[in-house]
Amino acid sequence: MRRSTRAMLAAAASLAILLTGCSSSGSGSKASDGKKEVGVFTWWSAGSEKLGLEGLEKVLASQHPDVKFVNLAVSGGAGSNAKQKLQADLAAKQPPDSFQAHAGAELMDYIEAKQIEPVNDLYDKFGLNNAFPKSLIERLTVNGKIYSIPSNIHRANVVWANPEVIKAAGLDPAKPATSIEAWIADMEKIKATGKIPITIGAPWTQTQLFETILIGDIGADEYNGLFNGKTKWDSDKVKTAVKHFGQIVKLAQLNSTADWEPMIKPIIDGQAAYNVMGDWALAAFNSASKVYKKDYIAFPVPGNEKIFDFLADSFTLPVGAPHPEGAKAWLDTISSKDGQLKFNEIKGSIPARTDVTFPSDDKFAYQRDAMEAFKNDTIVSSIAHGAALPVSASTKINAAVEKFTSGASNEEAFVKDLVAATASLAH
Ligand code: GAL
């Protein structure tokens, strides 16, 4: 994993006081009734994500009945508010017992600041060294030490689509476009029918859409090169992706203040054709009792075929956690076969463990496809979800993207902002 600066910590500390739900005593909580407890910090506070967390809570209750679950979730998709509060709490040495962090570059932030403990002993104790794919363990390891335990793997480069809206434009839902350019042409046809071609929400969802357009236009190798200096952020191909992103934004219903779930609703309701979202969207379709391949379809963002834009949620043992025993019980549960099955069945993701499979009924058809794709596709790391870049850089990219989508910068200025956002990374 790459090196990153710690400058964001100070900024995060001052920003956090502006956040709603910010408690002066930090994320950590003290045991009040003599029971063991675990305060778990996530951003799974609402809708289908909350249901996933509740699923894990139930498994914890059955596996560790003596440990009380304390929910410290902070609302805002992709941790848009949670990460700032967390960084402030960690800087103030008031950690929760365990917190959600993405495998990859994002973990590096906490490791460098010595805010999380290595958990190699738990890997040995719970028998996890062979349970997770090697490639995933590598993304969690620094200098031989493993710093968190993954609960799931999500795919970020998925188009969720309404087949009726697509058909009404004279397009075949079974044959989606295979390039960004052809996809834009499809969106123009959809617009001509009076329906919304694509919905886009909060800035992090805009970054996620942009990263998938980048992958579609520059391919996996050059996309990976953006993070090791081999591909320049102002290369001609990146400029093409920026142009395409601008065209798609013009065709979109854009609501920068909406989280991801409300922007999926127009797809569910037949008002819009497409939304690009990670496969936590599956949980929203399930909650609305919609049937995969009938009421809605899902396919890789055009140009992303055979590429899996990866992110994994993982959980940590913070230095100075108030209830380390509770944290260890939590880490046991989230890594257990039962925990991974129950959680991922609800969450839309796939188990990080390779020895867990979904039941064979239709309800899990998308997730079985995703498991195959993860095994066979080229894996790249998500920018919007902490796998490719540290929080400090992805925060700057979010700001640059929002500046562009709000019309405050043009293509040229956006490219300059992208170069500046990533300039501090050592290659
Ligand atoms: C991601 C996270 C997912 C999901 C999503 C939307 O960062 O890894 O599990 O919660 O944000 O909030």
Side-chain angles (χ1 to χ4, degrees):
M1 281 187 279
R2 83 184 55 257
R3 304 268 125 194
S4 67
T5 64
R6 308 254 58 78
M8 280 302 289
L9 281 177
S14 52
L15 266 172
I17 53 170
L18 300 171
L19 297 173
T20 49
C22 175
S23 89
S24 58
S25 61
S27 298
S29 59
K30 298 277 172 258
S32 52
D33 52 9
K35 277 177 100 182
K36 275 202 256 173
E37 68 177 58
V38 57
V40 177
F41 185 96
T42 68
W43 51 88
W44 296 330
S45 70
S48 51
E49 303 189 329
K50 185 165 174 255
L51 299 178
L53 186 60
E54 283 167 3
L56 275 176
E57 190 183 340
K58 281 192 192 120
V59 182
L60 178 76
S62 71
Q63 293 180 342
H64 297 279
D66 56 331
V67 177
K68 183 175 149 206
F69 178 83
V70 179
N71 191 345
L72 303 175
V74 170
S75 66
S80 39
N81 302 322
K83 286 181 190 172
Q84 294 172 345
K85 162 132 175 70
L86 177 66
Q87 290 196 343
D89 285 350
L90 294 177
K93 303 222 178 310
Q94 291 182 324
D97 294 316
S98 186
F99 65 83
Q100 173 185 3
H102 290 119
E106 183 179 308
L107 267 184
M108 200 62 209
D109 289 345
Y110 308 113
I111 297 170
E112 281 188 341
K114 298 197 173 21
Q115 290 163 332
I116 50 178
E117 303 272 6
V119 288
N120 298 56
D121 56 334
L122 298 182
Y123 272 70
D124 293 339
K125 188 169 169 201
F126 304 151
L128 301 178
N129 292 306
N130 297 320
F132 299 126
K134 279 209 167 43
S135 58
L136 179 54
I137 292 193
E138 273 165 22
R139 288 175 150 93
L140 301 161
T141 307
V142 172
N143 297 331
K145 290 184 182 154
I146 308 179
Y147 284 89
S148 69
I149 301 188
S151 52
N152 61 302
I153 291 170
H154 270 305
R155 181 175 190 172
N157 55 345
V158 186
V159 181
W160 302 88
N162 185 305
E164 295 308 320
V165 177
I166 293 171
K167 261 190 244 161
L171 300 165
D172 182 352
K175 290 191 191 135
T178 54
S179 72
I180 298 292
E181 206 144 36
W183 194 35
I184 293 172
D186 288 353
M187 288 191 211
E188 271 155 5
K189 289 185 188 145
I190 290 159
K191 192 174 174 204
T193 68
K195 295 281 181 179
I196 302 160
I198 182 166
T199 59
I200 312 176
W204 66 267
T205 74
Q206 300 167 19
T207 298
Q208 184 174 331
L209 171 63
F210 177 57
E211 82 187 35
T212 66
I213 293 171
L214 270 174
I215 297 167
D217 275 333
I218 76 179
D221 284 350
E222 288 194 29
Y223 176 80
N224 287 336
L226 290 169
F227 314 117
N228 61 21
K230 285 201 180 131
T231 305
K232 299 289 167 224
W233 281 90
D234 54 2
S235 71
D236 285 347
K237 281 194 189 168
V238 171
K239 287 180 182 163
T240 301
V242 163
K243 185 182 89 193
H244 285 156
F245 180 52
Q247 289 170 333
I248 290 176
V249 167
K250 282 210 180 79
L251 287 160
Q253 182 188 73
L254 175 80
N255 181 352
S256 284
T257 59
D259 213 326
W260 68 270
E261 212 159 345
M263 298 316 278
I264 293 283
K265 203 161 175 294
I267 316 299
I268 294 177
D269 295 344
Q271 298 306 316
Y274 307 119
N275 180 274
V276 170
M277 194 39 57
D279 42 21
W280 46 91
L282 180 68
F285 286 100
N286 285 341
S287 290
S289 303
K290 296 296 173 189
V291 177
Y292 177 49
K293 290 193 176 163
K294 178 177 158 280
D295 301 323
Y296 69 99
I297 55 173
F299 54 88
V301 171
N304 286 230
E305 298 78 17
K306 299 269 160 221
I307 302 174
F308 190 108
D309 186 16
F310 152 96
L311 61 128
D313 295 299
S314 68
F315 283 88
T316 56
L317 178 60
V319 170
H323 310 101
E325 289 315 308
K328 286 174 192 169
W330 171 251
L331 294 172
D332 178 31
T333 289
I334 62 121
S335 61
S336 67
K337 284 188 183 181
D338 205 23
Q340 296 239 324
L341 184 60
K342 288 281 166 347
F343 175 64
N344 287 293
E345 278 183 1
I346 305 170
K347 187 70 167 49
S349 37
I350 59 175
R353 292 185 75 113
T354 52
D355 55 358
V356 175
T357 45
F358 289 108
S360 58
D361 52 285
D362 287 353
K363 198 176 157 209
F364 302 105
Y366 169 83
Q367 282 147 305
R368 284 195 299 273
D369 289 351
M371 284 180 91
E372 280 308 300
F374 185 67
K375 260 188 243 154
N376 301 318
D377 289 3
T378 302
I379 310 293
V380 300
S381 295
S382 170
I383 298 171
H385 301 283
L389 292 173
V391 177
S392 50
S394 55
T395 304
K396 286 184 202 151
I397 290 185
N398 283 347
V401 168
E402 194 188 6
K403 197 170 142 197
F404 179 64
T405 59
S406 67
S409 66
N410 59 17
E411 287 174 27
E412 208 185 322
F414 180 33
V415 169
K416 279 195 185 136
D417 285 344
L418 290 171
V419 171
T422 51
S424 65
L425 302 170
H427 292 305

